[in-house]
Amino acid sequence: MGEKKGFFGKLVAGLQKTRDNIIAGVDSIFSGFSAIDDDFYEEIEEILIMGDLGIQTTTSIVEDLRRKVKENNIKDPAECKQLLMDSIMEQMDLGENAYEFENRKSVLLIIGVNGVGKTTSVGKLAGQMKDEGKKVIVAAADTFRAAAIDQLTEWARRAGVDIIAQQEGSDPAAVVFDAVAAAKSRQADILICDTAGRLHNKKNLMEELKKINRIIDKEYPEAYRETLVVLDGTTGQNALVQAKQFMEAADITGIILTKLDGTAKGGIAVAIQSELGIPVKYIGVGEKIDDLQKFNAKEFVNALFHVEEKEEA
């Protein structure tokens, strides 16, 4: 439980700025209003939008809150806090099979623009899965940056996992082809592929991802597929725009949201899930290998509102 508590503590600390941005305002509404009226809801709406939850998500949350208040016949604004937290949590339901890839022979494609922490996320995931006793291979298919190949090689060395790489500038699909062959012959549980992140040239990126997907479909049809897009939490609504663009290029199954420590835009985690219907599966709050963890909506909202987890109180 210590490690979990440690991460919750980091999450609480990491979401400090977001909390200052959103929650201080929300708390003052709960204590400052004597009645639940339209002004009360409008104030909540305004604060959530400023916390990067976005208009669409905020509207859904506030509508849900109105319904709950009515159903439970609540008159005191102070009683709305838990209801608001519940409404936010419900926007972020992961569904049953969020981590199904852990139980199967799987290929994880990790995509995202350069600079968001993509290669680092590949390394951290590889290390964690290796620690869970899985046989992991990583593929350095981001061949356009020599730094990406070097960085992934270093992560693989640290994590103690095999890496399949070629020279800078080689064909990413060829790297994936080799990696699939290695995953099959070495009986790997999980193959994690780092891919190039050039969104400004979307057509090329789409073609490249299609080519990679075709190879995996053809050479490794039995593998369970997971495509995770890495987004930088500090960019707020811009991360949402990026996610939408990647959705046009690939069948995205989940989000890795990095750099949530020290940003005031942590509310974006809620917006992404609510607006795109794609779950945030991992969140990162620091540089260390265990600073990337599975996303837990209850924990996230508790950290956002700084409510201690009940069983650990």
Side-chain angles (χ1 to χ4, degrees), residues 12-311:
V12 170
L15 289 172
Q16 177 71 49
K17 284 186 185 167
T18 304
R19 194 161 46 247
D20 293 347
N21 203 0
I22 304 181
I23 306 313
V26 169
D27 279 348
S28 71
I29 295 171
F30 290 139
S31 57
F33 273 78
S34 55
I36 298 172
D37 54 16
D38 285 346
D39 287 349
F40 170 76
Y41 287 119
E42 269 174 31
E43 289 274 334
I44 290 178
E45 222 162 58
E46 199 171 301
I47 282 164
L48 294 181
I49 288 168
M50 282 168 59
D52 263 279
L53 272 80
I55 293 170
Q56 198 179 318
T57 309
T58 297
T59 306
S60 303
I61 289 168
V62 173
E63 276 172 12
D64 191 54
L65 180 63
R66 279 180 187 262
R67 198 178 66 248
K68 287 187 168 89
V69 165
K70 204 170 178 182
E71 278 170 10
N72 297 297
N73 200 19
I74 287 168
K75 299 279 182 269
D76 179 3
E79 287 180 45
C80 289
K81 183 172 180 175
Q82 187 58 49
L83 292 179
L84 177 63
M85 288 172 67
D86 293 344
S87 295
I88 294 173
M89 275 179 222
E90 281 157 27
Q91 296 290 325
M92 299 192 289
D93 182 32
L94 276 179
E96 298 289 277
N97 306 317
Y99 303 99
E100 179 60 31
F101 62 86
E102 294 186 334
N103 310 317
R104 317 256 289 265
K105 286 246 187 296
S106 299
V107 177
L108 270 61
L109 268 193
I110 312 294
I111 63 181
V113 298
N114 294 333
V116 293
K118 182 171 51 74
T119 303
T120 305
S121 295
V122 173
K124 288 178 179 178
L125 283 177
Q128 289 180 16
M129 288 169 186
K130 166 87 186 316
D131 289 347
E132 286 165 17
K134 293 184 171 23
K135 184 162 176 55
V136 181
I137 293 178
V138 294
D142 182 352
T143 58
F144 293 92
R145 291 188 309 135
I149 301 172
D150 294 346
Q151 197 184 359
L152 194 60
T153 304
E154 176 54 29
W155 271 108
R157 189 191 63 73
R158 264 191 260 172
V161 302
D162 293 349
I163 180 169
I164 305 297
Q166 292 181 12
Q167 297 306 306
E168 178 192 353
S170 54
D171 179 7
V175 178
V176 172
F177 182 88
D178 286 354
V180 165
K184 282 158 58 173
S185 68
R186 298 176 202 177
Q187 294 286 300
D189 297 305
I190 294 182
L191 167 62
I192 311 178
C193 306
D194 187 16
T195 64
R198 299 159 305 143
L199 240 188
H200 56 275
N201 193 343
K202 211 161 60 180
K203 191 173 181 305
N204 282 4
L205 181 72
M206 282 187 189
E207 290 311 313
E208 200 170 283
L209 289 171
K210 279 182 193 155
K211 197 171 165 190
I212 287 172
N213 278 315
R214 278 198 303 271
I215 282 171
I216 301 168
D217 289 343
K218 183 167 180 279
E219 301 297 326
Y220 205 3
E222 67 274 27
Y224 185 84
R225 303 290 302 280
E226 189 79 34
T227 302
L228 302 177
V229 63
V230 183
L231 300 170
D232 176 344
T234 61
T235 61
Q237 289 292 309
N238 193 35
L240 196 63
V241 174
Q242 267 179 33
K244 283 180 179 160
Q245 290 182 303
F246 276 115
M247 282 169 78
E248 293 170 25
D251 180 17
I252 307 293
T253 56
I255 308 282
I256 298 175
L257 195 57
T258 62
K259 309 185 189 183
L260 272 187
D261 45 326
T263 173
K265 298 176 188 283
I268 196 63
V270 188
I272 286 169
Q273 218 140 311
S274 174
E275 287 192 31
L276 304 181
I278 294 176
V280 173
K281 294 197 179 181
Y282 292 91
I283 51 173
V285 291
E287 295 304 311
K288 297 197 189 71
I289 196 154
D290 59 351
D291 289 342
L292 183 75
Q293 293 267 359
K294 285 179 182 172
F295 182 79
N296 175 316
K298 182 169 182 282
E299 208 173 70
F300 181 84
V301 176
N302 280 342
L304 193 54
F305 283 82
H306 204 169
V307 175
E308 274 299 320
E309 305 258 88
K310 295 288 180 285
E311 66 273 15

